[in-house]
Amino acid sequence: MTQQRTVRGALIGCGFFAENQMRAWRDLHEMGKGVEIVALCDRDPQRLAYFRDLFGVEAAYTEAETLFAAFAGELDFVDIATTTPSHAALVPLAARHGVDIICQKPFAGSLENASRLIAQCSASRVSLGIHENFRWQHAVRQTIETLRSGRIGRPFFGRISYRSGFDVYAAQPYLARAERFILEDLGIHVLDIARALFGEVARLSCETTRINAAIAGEDVATLMLQHDDGITSVVDCSYATRLADDPFPQSLIEVDGVHGSLRLRQDFVLEIHDTGGHCVVQTVRPEPPAWSESPWVPIQASVLAFQADWLEAYRQNRPIETRGEDNYNTLALVEAAYEAAATHQSVIPERWNR
Ligand SMILES: NC(=O)c1ccc[n+]([C@@H]2O[C@H](COP(=O)([O-])OP(=O)(O)OC[C@H]3O[C@@H](n4cnc5c(N)ncnc54)[C@H](O)[C@@H]3O)[C@@H](O)[C@H]2O)c1
C-alpha cells in the first residue's frame, strides 16, 4: 500500500473555539489520517504562546503575512478560526498564496463580502470550505440520513429548536456586545440544519426579541420558512430559556412526513414513527473524543466529523457540502431573517447565482 502524503495546514486564530479544531486535527494526525498543523498565527502573543505550548507547534507568528511568507509553497491549507471581521482580509491573503481555505462561520459580514470572497477563491483556484459543523453533529446527521433514506416519505413539516439558558457570554464575551446576536451566531447553524433537511428556502418570516438586558443584540428568534419543495419549517432559537434540564448545545428536531414522523428528542433519542402507530427508538449519542468535556461533547465530536470529511474531500478532490457557494445560501437566510424581523414582512432570501 502506498503511503499517503501528509496534508500540511496552518491555523490562524488561536481563540476559544480553535482549541477544538486543533485537538481534532491532532486526533486525525494520531489516527494516521496524514494531516498536520505545522504553523500557528494569532495577533495576541499570549494566545499564540498558549497554543504553541499546548500543541507543540514551534512555527508561531503574530502576522498572517509573515506566516505565509515563511511557508511559501509548503502549505496545503489554512484553517481560519478568527471572528468574522478579519475574514475579509485573511481569506484573500490565503487565496493569493494558493492554499485551500477552511473558514469559520459566519464567513462574511454581508452577502456582498461573501460573493467577493467566493469570487477571489475561485479566481485563485483554491477551495473555500466553511466550518459549519452543526449538520455534522451525530444526532443531527442521523436524523438527516433517516429522512433522506425515505423512511417517513415526503416531509411536509419540520421544526428545529434550540432553546437554552447556557451562559455563552462567559467564554465568548464579544457575543454580549454584538448588535446582531442569536441569528448571526447560533441561528446560522440551525438554519443550515433546516437547509440540510429540507432544501432551499423560497421565503421566510421572523420575529426576534431581547430578554437579557445586559446584552446588545437579540437572544430569542422564531422563524417560519417555506421551502422550495413546499415544506414548511419552524426554526426557533433562544438563549433566554430557563430549564432545569438544559439541553445545551443540542438541537431538537421534528419532521412530519407522509409515511411517518421523526422526533430527535433531548439526550440523543431519535424516534421513527410509522403510519401503523409503531415507533422505533434509536440512541444517536455521539462518540465523545477523548478530549471532549461536558456539555460540549456533541459540538466537539462534530468538529472532528467536519474536519475528517474535509480531509477526505481534499484527498478525493471533491467539494465539501458547506463550501462557500452553498454556505452563501445559509448566510442569506440570516440576512433575510434580520430584514423580516425589522419589517414584520415575509422576505425572499438571496440565493447564490439565482
Ligand atoms: N462552529 C461552531 O460551533 C463555533 C463555536 C464557537 C465559535 N465559532 C466561531 O469561531 C470564530 C472564532 O470564535 P471564538 O469564540 O474562538 O473567538 P475568539 O475571540 O476567542 O478567538 C479569535 C482569535 O483570533 C485572533 N485574531 C483575530 N483577528 C486576527 C488576525 N487578523 N490575525 C490573527 N489572529 C487574529 C484573536 O486574537 C483571537 O485569539 C467565530 O467566527 C465564531 O462564530 C464557531
Side-chain angles (χ1 to χ4, degrees):
M1 206 174 78
T2 50
Q3 181 93 23
Q4 57 186 2
R5 184 179 71 82
T6 296
V7 178
R8 290 158 59 91
L11 176 91
I12 303 181
C14 302
F16 159 69
F17 201 71
E19 208 165 316
N20 299 317
Q21 294 168 230
M22 281 300 289
R23 289 186 195 278
W25 289 127
R26 190 167 64 183
D27 270 11
L28 291 167
H29 174 72
E30 287 171 359
M31 284 176 211
K33 300 286 184 188
V35 64
E36 194 173 1
I37 298 295
V38 296
L40 300 173
C41 171
D42 198 295
R43 284 213 166 136
D44 177 344
Q46 282 182 346
R47 288 301 303 180
L48 190 60
Y50 171 65
F51 266 48
R52 190 192 55 212
D53 296 345
L54 189 60
F55 296 106
V57 179
E58 280 309 313
Y61 305 86
T62 51
E63 290 302 326
E65 287 87 345
T66 320
L67 182 156
F68 283 117
F71 278 80
E74 289 179 41
L75 284 180
D76 297 302
F77 78 101
V78 64
D79 192 3
I80 300 175
T82 56
T83 43
T84 310
S86 60
H87 300 169
L90 290 173
V91 170
L93 176 70
R96 281 199 300 279
H97 283 84
V99 301
D100 286 305
I101 299 166
I102 304 172
C103 183
Q104 259 296 348
K105 49 58 68 172
F107 78 100
S110 69
L111 292 178
E112 209 181 336
N113 274 347
S115 296
R116 191 170 54 79
L117 297 183
I118 292 168
Q120 283 165 333
C121 290
S122 169
S124 299
R125 297 178 183 279
V126 300
S127 66
L128 173 62
I130 309 308
H131 185 120
E132 175 46 76
N133 50 315
F134 270 42
R135 61 165 77 192
W136 284 101
Q137 285 178 39
H138 183 66
V140 173
R141 198 78 198 166
Q142 293 302 113
T143 310
I144 293 169
E145 282 172 11
T146 306
L147 178 65
R148 288 181 185 168
S149 75
R151 191 141 166 202
I152 63 158
R154 183 175 55 79
F156 58 88
F157 173 82
R159 177 180 175 205
I160 308 143
S161 182
Y162 183 107
R163 312 194 77 77
S164 169
F166 187 79
D167 179 12
V168 281
Y169 317 105
Q172 296 170 276
Y174 61 91
L175 294 178
R177 299 188 294 271
E179 292 288 328
R180 289 175 158 200
F181 168 42
I182 201 165
L183 280 167
E184 191 168 272
D185 181 67
L186 184 273
I188 193 168
H189 291 299
V190 187
L191 287 163
D192 192 68
I193 296 176
R195 286 186 57 243
L197 282 165
F198 308 125
E200 299 302 348
V201 175
R203 60 184 179 279
L204 63 75
S205 55
C206 176
E207 298 293 338
T208 61
T209 190
R210 179 176 59 218
I211 300 302
N212 182 346
I215 66 166
E218 82 291 351
D219 53 3
V220 179
T222 309
L223 298 87
M224 189 168 83
L225 282 55
Q226 190 62 27
H227 295 261
D228 283 0
D229 287 350
I231 304 155
T232 306
S233 72
V234 173
V235 164
D236 58 284
C237 311
S238 166
Y239 268 128
T241 299
R242 304 292 160 193
L243 293 164
D245 188 14
D246 195 308
F248 180 87
Q250 299 171 52
S251 303
L252 309 181
I253 300 177
E254 299 175 11
V255 186
D256 293 358
V258 293
H259 298 316
S261 301
L262 303 177
R263 294 290 182 270
L264 177 60
R265 310 269 189 211
Q266 189 161 334
D267 297 329
F268 316 108
V269 171
L270 177 60
E271 297 172 357
I272 307 167
H273 299 255
D274 68 18
T275 45
H278 304 110
C279 172
V280 174
V281 179
Q282 294 179 351
T283 300
V284 287
R285 189 175 295 283
E287 187 68 42
W291 44 270
S292 64
E293 61 216 336
S294 178
W296 294 95
V297 176
I299 300 275
Q300 289 168 324
S302 74
V303 168
L304 183 57
F306 167 80
Q307 291 180 192
D309 182 70
W310 182 89
L311 185 60
E312 191 184 281
Y314 180 87
R315 290 201 187 281
Q316 295 172 349
N317 202 21
R318 67 159 161 88
I320 64 163
E321 285 180 24
T322 57
R323 58 197 174 279
E325 292 87 341
D326 176 272
N327 197 256
Y328 179 97
N329 290 352
T330 294
L331 205 56
L333 298 187
V334 173
E335 289 298 329
Y338 279 113
E339 187 187 335
T343 59
H344 305 290
Q345 304 277 332
S346 87
V347 171
I348 297 173
E350 292 290 329
R351 198 174 290 182
W352 181 249
N353 270 346
R354 187 191 284 276

